[in-house]
Amino acid sequence: MVKFLDLQKITALYSDEINRAIERTTNGGWFLNGVEVQLFEKEYAHYIGTNRCVSCANGLDALWLIFRAYIELGRLKPGDEVIVPANTFIATVLAISENGLIPVFAEPDGNSLQISLSAVKSVMTPKTKAICIVHLYGRCAFTPELADFCKTSGLLMVEDNAQAHGCRYGNSKTGSLGDAAGHSFYPGKILGALGDGGAVTTNDNELADVIRALANYGSEKKYYCGFKGKNSRLDEIQAAVLRIKLKSLENDIAARKRVAQFYVDNITNPKVTLPGKELLTDHVYHLFPVLCAERDRLQKYLFENGVETVIHYPVPPHKQICYQEYNSISLPVTERLAAQELSLPMSPVLTEAEMNKVVECVNSFE
Ligand SMILES: Cc1ncc(COP(=O)(O)O)c(C=O)c1O
């Protein structure tokens, strides 16, 4: 079976270094808010190209903390609308709604699968105060047109960079392009920990300070709380692991791009579309999505022939039971993507034989 993602194999590449780091941390007896976290934040901010990085417990928290901090700073208020691509993972939307802000769904472009300026304009109202762009699947969603529009309309631009560590727009990295960005280090991500982890990157010192406090029970000074915060921490062992894996991130991305190029060059089945394959936008291939009108049959066929795949995502946020208030909205592009998307095996450790098998199986689907 070609695994969708072989985390055992990926982790084994670093096992000596990771074991040494765990031993060092364990022997040091200091497990939270220590030197590994400080160093990771410094190194990750440097990698992304921002002044600040504040680590936290996961990617949802990172986004939640950004929106909550904007509310605490008076730059957003409950009831404000935040435009979000309709085809994102639920966490992007939860971070908005769970702060009393109103998510407003914009249809993605059916080829790039990213939010477009025209879609943003079509859902814009006087209550719109921010846009959350999502670098979904690893493809850069930033455009200078969107940035100009945000600037001239006085909108904040938040980036959901959970899936696109290392992705670039020109010489800049995603995570440094908007006003603030949320990152996830969930194990399956391009930069993944051995458990949960997350971070916010920003050049806004005031925002970073509030986020730091919010992630620490709302407290800047121990036992004195200026905000009603939460406990959201990256621990020392995860920070140490991320520091190790950060050093290989560029190589990992290059390997992912090689896999993607192989798929692009060799998948020829007319029943299977490779969305945006001709686009020049940088793509770091957290995932390799294909579209197929008979997606479920294709998935079954691949599985029966030894290729594991995953659907990202079968139910879009506006059709989830938890968002009944949006269930009646019709978003045909998003709903078509949810019905047709299938993610092929993608990772830096796929072998040539595995890639060949994936291509052969996709091409032999009738
Ligand atoms: C686009 C997107 N946003 C946010 C998140 C949330 O990250 P986490 O799982 O670390 O909470 C994820 C991760 O699954 C994601 O894919």
Side-chain angles (χ1 to χ4, degrees):
M1 178 67 77
V2 182
K3 286 191 180 172
F4 174 70
L5 176 66
D6 192 341
L7 277 181
Q8 212 174 12
K9 194 168 172 188
I10 292 176
T11 312
L13 296 175
Y14 308 94
S15 61
D16 287 347
E17 260 192 290
I18 287 177
N19 288 334
R20 280 200 298 278
I22 293 175
E23 206 181 334
R24 190 173 69 235
T25 311
T26 312
N27 291 342
W30 192 273
F31 304 114
L32 293 165
N33 300 333
V35 71
E36 296 290 346
V37 166
Q38 272 170 25
L39 287 170
F40 172 68
E41 289 183 346
K42 207 169 143 209
E43 288 159 9
Y44 195 62
H46 182 258
Y47 177 77
I48 294 294
T50 50
N51 296 340
R52 301 286 294 272
C53 167
V54 181
S55 60
C56 61
N58 55 62
L60 170 57
D61 278 6
L63 292 165
W64 184 93
L65 287 162
I66 292 170
F67 287 110
R68 175 54 65 93
Y70 278 131
I71 291 173
E72 297 292 356
L73 287 166
R75 298 194 220 163
L76 290 176
K77 60 178 188 319
D80 285 348
E81 293 178 357
V82 180
I83 296 176
V84 60
N87 61 327
T88 188
F89 178 59
I90 195 80
T92 325
V93 185
L94 287 171
I96 297 166
S97 69
E98 294 318 279
N99 274 305
L101 301 162
I102 314 293
V104 174
F105 300 106
E107 284 270 59
D109 172 85
N111 186 36
S112 72
L113 313 185
Q114 305 294 8
I115 198 167
S116 68
L117 182 54
S118 60
V120 166
K121 283 184 177 166
S122 72
V123 295
M124 172 100 180
T125 78
K127 284 183 165 181
T128 307
K129 296 290 181 266
I131 300 179
C132 185
I133 60 171
V134 182
H135 306 294
L136 197 71
Y137 304 128
R139 190 194 295 280
C140 181
F142 174 90
T143 65
E145 293 77 25
L146 263 176
D148 283 351
F149 181 74
C150 285
K151 213 171 184 181
T152 51
S153 311
L155 306 180
L156 294 164
M157 184 192 270
V158 174
E159 296 176 77
D160 181 338
N161 201 42
Q163 300 193 0
H165 321 87
C167 184
R168 287 176 165 79
Y169 182 86
N171 292 325
S172 304
K173 298 225 176 68
T174 56
S176 71
L177 301 165
D179 294 294
H183 307 252
S184 163
F185 306 121
Y186 174 80
K189 297 291 195 262
I190 297 180
L191 179 60
L194 301 185
D196 277 316
V200 174
T201 53
T202 182
N203 287 318
D204 183 336
N205 286 324
E206 196 183 18
L207 184 79
D209 289 343
V210 174
I211 288 173
R212 176 78 74 201
L214 282 169
N216 182 37
Y217 314 100
S219 164
E220 273 164 308
K221 187 175 157 204
K222 203 166 185 183
Y223 304 136
Y224 294 84
C225 290
F227 309 104
K228 292 177 185 131
K230 59 158 67 184
N231 171 6
S232 183
R233 296 189 279 235
L234 183 72
D235 66 65
E236 285 287 285
I237 288 181
Q238 299 308 337
V241 169
L242 289 168
R243 290 185 65 213
I244 293 164
K245 292 181 83 177
L246 183 58
K247 289 186 282 181
S248 304
L249 187 55
E250 291 293 311
N251 285 340
D252 287 350
I253 291 170
R256 287 174 180 276
K257 288 187 178 184
R258 282 196 292 277
V259 176
Q261 194 60 53
F262 187 84
Y263 287 163
V264 168
D265 291 344
N266 293 289
I267 292 176
T268 52
N269 189 332
K271 286 187 167 221
V272 177
T273 313
L274 312 187
K277 67 171 180 182
E278 73 294 349
L279 296 176
L280 297 176
T281 333
D282 192 27
H283 196 329
V284 288
Y285 297 101
H286 166 51
L287 298 170
F288 191 93
V290 301
L291 302 179
C292 177
E294 297 170 87
R295 188 265 316 277
D296 293 348
R297 202 165 68 75
L298 172 63
Q299 183 173 41
K300 189 163 174 278
Y301 176 82
L302 293 177
F303 187 74
E304 282 167 0
N305 285 282
V307 175
E308 197 181 30
T309 57
V310 177
I311 297 168
H312 296 95
Y313 301 94
V315 182
H318 72 286
K319 294 293 182 193
Q320 294 286 353
I321 292 171
C322 68
Y323 282 122
Q324 269 177 26
E325 62 272 43
Y326 304 117
N327 283 179
S328 62
I329 300 176
S330 166
L331 295 163
V333 181
T334 301
E335 287 155 31
R336 180 175 59 80
L337 294 175
Q340 296 191 349
E341 196 277 346
L342 191 66
S343 300
L344 300 183
M346 169 54 74
S347 87
V349 296
L350 269 194
T351 64
E352 219 159 285
E354 287 173 322
M355 290 189 261
N356 270 313
K357 182 164 176 185
V358 174
V359 166
E360 273 164 30
C361 286
V362 172
N363 285 344
S364 61
F365 174 69
E366 288 177 348

